[in-house]
Amino acid sequence: MAGRAHPVLWLTLICILILPLLCLYPFYGDLDTHHCIAVELDHSSALPYRASFVANLPGIVGVHLLAILLFGTSILGFRLLEVIIQALIVLAMYRVSRLWLSKVPAVLGCLVYALMYVHGPMLYIGQPDCFAVLPMLVGIGIMILSFRCENAARSTMLLLSAGFAYGVAACFRPTFALMLFLPMICLFDPRTAEGRRSCFLLTIGFICAITTCVAIYAPTREGVRELYVAIIRYNFEVYVHAFEWRGCSKRSLGIIAVLAWWGIIVWHHRRKGVRFSSAPHNRNEIYFLIATFVSILIGIGVMGRLAGYHLIPFFALVVQ
């Protein structure tokens, strides 16, 4: 019992002493837009189709709508819900990291995450990516559990759930869908019948989440047009130009430096021959973690996006 009290105490302190600082932050441009869409949806039960996706799937609008239903239309109401969701993220991060880490580094990763998030800058706080961290973490954890599971029926449910969680993350930022290819490549071998079955179940779960999200738009011409503009046209035009080196060279060099620093730490750790009691079960899990970590870093450096920014401390600890 004493061994469990230590991480529980620290996680509780993180949630009640650090995360409530989010309530001090005001709204800014993007959050105002998301909130106005949710207010109109709450008042008229209809969405303003023009720009209602805010260049993404409308997952973030659902968060604002939930905040309005629970706490009203005030800024403080949204921040209270944000505190609750970030607390869930901290708890999920600890639980998922315990698949590979001992208690102390797992709690440390949660602490660094919370400090990074409340520090800001304000432009990052409350963005869709910040809420997508929760389903992404849940998806990673369930994915690993399904990979380790030997019971066929339970594995099927876990794979469907993992795909659904990745789909929920993509409802906040469509490019998160690309992260689904990592477990397909690193964990499950598509060349085998069992691997193809796993990939199929992941895809079915993912499609169910996306279908649920866009169902309210698809039946109308305006909704279909909004789907095309927000998901295909906007993201294509933005990301085609995102790979220009001149516009993102500083970010890319920073990411290269972080990768080099991380590589040196891992090399030094391996050279010392230290082994932890909790670690990836095999090379497939190691490859999956490293691929996810590097993908998030590259996404930040090249795209200039927030996607996964606050997950970096978690992966930096895990993949060592």
Side-chain angles (χ1 to χ4, degrees), residues 70-206:
L70 292 177
F71 305 113
T73 58
S74 67
I75 297 175
L76 180 60
F78 173 78
R79 292 302 185 194
L80 287 174
L81 180 62
E82 186 177 15
V83 170
I84 294 173
I85 293 178
Q86 290 303 318
L88 293 176
I89 289 174
V90 168
L91 298 178
M93 181 173 292
Y94 176 79
R95 181 65 185 89
V96 173
S97 61
R98 288 289 285 125
L99 293 170
W100 306 286
L101 295 177
S102 56
K103 294 179 181 179
V104 174
V107 172
L108 177 61
C110 295
L111 175 62
V112 175
Y113 167 85
L115 291 174
M116 285 182 63
Y117 190 81
V118 300
H119 178 266
M122 185 178 69
L123 180 64
Y124 287 173
I125 294 176
Q127 285 280 5
D129 312 79
C130 303
F131 297 96
V133 170
L134 180 58
M136 182 178 290
L137 271 175
V138 172
I140 291 172
I142 298 176
M143 192 85 66
I144 296 300
L145 292 177
S146 67
F147 178 70
R148 297 178 180 179
C149 182
E150 297 181 357
N151 183 285
R154 185 167 184 266
S155 176
T156 297
M157 293 304 300
L158 289 173
L159 287 168
L160 289 171
S161 301
F164 191 87
Y166 272 76
V168 172
C171 289
F172 289 91
R173 188 77 72 184
T175 46
F176 279 143
L178 299 175
M179 301 294 288
L180 191 64
F181 289 101
L182 299 179
M184 292 182 178
I185 296 172
C186 300
L187 291 179
F188 310 108
D189 189 355
R191 295 172 296 180
T192 66
E194 184 63 27
R196 289 192 293 271
R197 172 183 172 276
S198 299
C199 294
F200 174 76
L201 291 172
L202 284 173
T203 304
I204 292 298
F206 179 86

